[in-house]
Amino acid sequence: MSAGQSIGIFDSGYGGLTVFKSIAKKLPQYNYIYLGDNARSPYGDHSFETVYQYTLECVEWLFAQGCPLVILACNTASAKALRSIQQRVLPVKYPNHRVLGVIRPTAEVIGNFTESKTIGILGTRGTINSESYLIEINKLFPEINVHQQSCPMWVPLVENNEHLDPGADYFVEKYINEIMAKDERIDCLLLACTHYPLLIPKIRTFLADGTVTLLGQGDIVADSLSKYLQKHPEITQKLGQDAKRNFYTSGDQVFFDKHASIFFGSDVSSRHVSHNSSQL
Ligand code: DGL
């Protein structure tokens, strides 16, 4: 069993860097490999089969880099690919590897963030249509009323760094009004997409002061990973603790580095990995 291995963090593109930022803050000692599949993102509108295929390829690439544990830091991939990878692939091909997502850890704590027992979920079409949050929250907190809203224009706004400009107001207000009109008791909006935390200052301008909690997932996923590592020494003992961070993108690395710092909060220097080679 070789030591010195990394935790793999996967996202369709940049968004998972908001989750990685929280993980790196909570657990700075570990080695990490981040992979953004920018060449094929966004995943939000792709079919189940496509998201599954793309996610599996990227997870297998991270396994090949020596990651015994991969976090799907992407709601769409967690909603559409995680269960199949955990149930169909790992037991047969990778019995000693683990893949975790962002939906279950979020569902486990959602009850702490609502007094009215009424929440709104904002996500990509893929995440919302999968009903993954509805199903998980209903299992754990059947008393919570869950309303959903897909926000397909928000990822492009963030990816183009237009999310805080006046032009973003129309689509931010539109989706906030739509979800809040579903139930006046909503007191927590879950930002169930890795890009949405960057919109928080803008979203707040369309909500009455202090009435609604805007819940991002970074800290929730970081806490959950910390607990998981404590409970699973068979994984933790394989991990290197040299605080190494390696970033890879299937897209253009210069473009990635420029945009990635917006999501990660500090400079990122990535390497390109190609879909057209045996590398991925
Ligand atoms: N990372 C994705 C998510 O959290 C958003 C971007 C995409 O659609 O690929 O759902």
Side-chain angles (χ1 to χ4, degrees):
M1 196 176 287
S2 61
Q5 297 182 346
S6 303
I7 297 172
I9 302 192
F10 166 71
D11 181 53
S12 56
Y14 304 107
L17 291 165
T18 62
V19 176
F20 185 19
K21 183 180 170 187
S22 297
I23 291 175
K25 193 168 161 212
K26 174 99 189 171
L27 301 164
Q29 69 274 33
Y30 292 111
N31 299 341
Y32 295 97
I33 299 178
Y34 182 92
L35 173 61
D37 191 10
N38 295 75
R40 302 187 294 200
S41 73
Y43 279 13
D45 284 335
H46 290 324
S47 69
F48 265 86
E49 193 50 34
T50 301
V51 173
Y52 168 69
Q53 285 302 339
Y54 288 178
T55 303
L56 180 58
E57 280 176 33
C58 292
V59 165
E60 292 195 301
W61 182 83
L62 285 163
F63 287 169
Q65 309 312 302
C67 299
L69 170 66
V70 172
I71 311 298
L72 301 187
C74 174
N75 282 276
T76 309
S78 298
K80 292 187 165 190
L82 178 63
R83 189 173 297 256
S84 300
I85 291 174
Q86 286 176 332
Q87 294 180 352
R88 298 195 335 224
V89 181
L90 297 188
V92 181
K93 277 180 88 176
Y94 306 100
N96 298 321
H97 289 69
R98 295 291 175 266
V99 181
L100 305 174
V102 293
I103 295 176
R104 179 78 190 190
T106 307
E108 281 172 358
V109 298
I110 198 79
N112 301 335
F113 296 93
T114 173
E115 280 179 23
S116 65
K117 306 281 177 233
T118 310
I119 65 162
I121 311 275
L122 303 168
T124 64
R125 277 201 195 101
T127 299
I128 297 305
N129 291 344
S130 75
E131 302 201 336
S132 300
Y133 278 99
L134 281 179
I135 295 163
E136 287 299 326
I137 294 171
N138 192 42
K139 272 190 232 157
L140 298 163
F141 298 101
E143 72 282 11
I144 293 183
N145 304 300
V146 183
H147 300 280
Q148 299 201 103
Q149 176 69 43
S150 64
C151 311
M153 294 304 291
W154 284 8
V155 166
L157 284 171
V158 176
E159 296 244 316
N160 288 291
N161 203 12
E162 303 276 355
H163 52 290
L164 297 180
D165 290 347
D169 286 11
Y170 175 81
F171 283 111
V172 175
E173 184 176 23
K174 175 180 160 68
Y175 299 141
I176 290 300
N177 286 349
E178 284 176 18
I179 185 93
M180 295 308 290
K182 291 180 201 246
D183 195 324
E184 62 186 14
R185 295 168 300 169
I186 291 174
D187 65 355
C188 173
L189 287 177
L190 172 64
L191 306 177
C193 171
T194 50
H195 285 55
Y196 297 176
L198 278 82
L199 282 158
I200 285 177
K202 183 71 89 182
I203 295 171
R204 280 203 200 290
T205 65
F206 297 106
L207 291 167
D209 275 352
T211 50
V212 177
T213 299
L214 292 178
L215 187 61
Q217 298 173 287
D219 291 346
I220 293 171
V221 175
D223 284 350
S224 168
L225 175 60
S226 174
K227 286 182 191 136
Y228 180 88
L229 293 175
Q230 281 164 24
K231 273 195 248 152
H232 292 274
E234 77 284 5
I235 296 286
T236 311
Q237 70 192 8
K238 296 180 189 171
L239 300 174
Q241 302 207 20
D242 312 298
K244 286 187 197 150
R245 292 165 198 185
N246 286 298
F247 298 85
Y248 292 85
T249 175
S250 60
D252 180 273
Q253 73 192 77
V254 176
F255 199 73
F256 181 86
D257 292 354
K258 199 168 148 214
H259 281 69
S261 59
I262 300 168
F263 292 81
F264 197 53
S266 56
D267 285 349
V268 167
S269 178
S270 66
R271 275 174 272 182
H272 174 72
V273 57
S274 174
H275 284 296
N276 298 323
S277 71
S278 54
Q279 285 177 293
L280 189 68

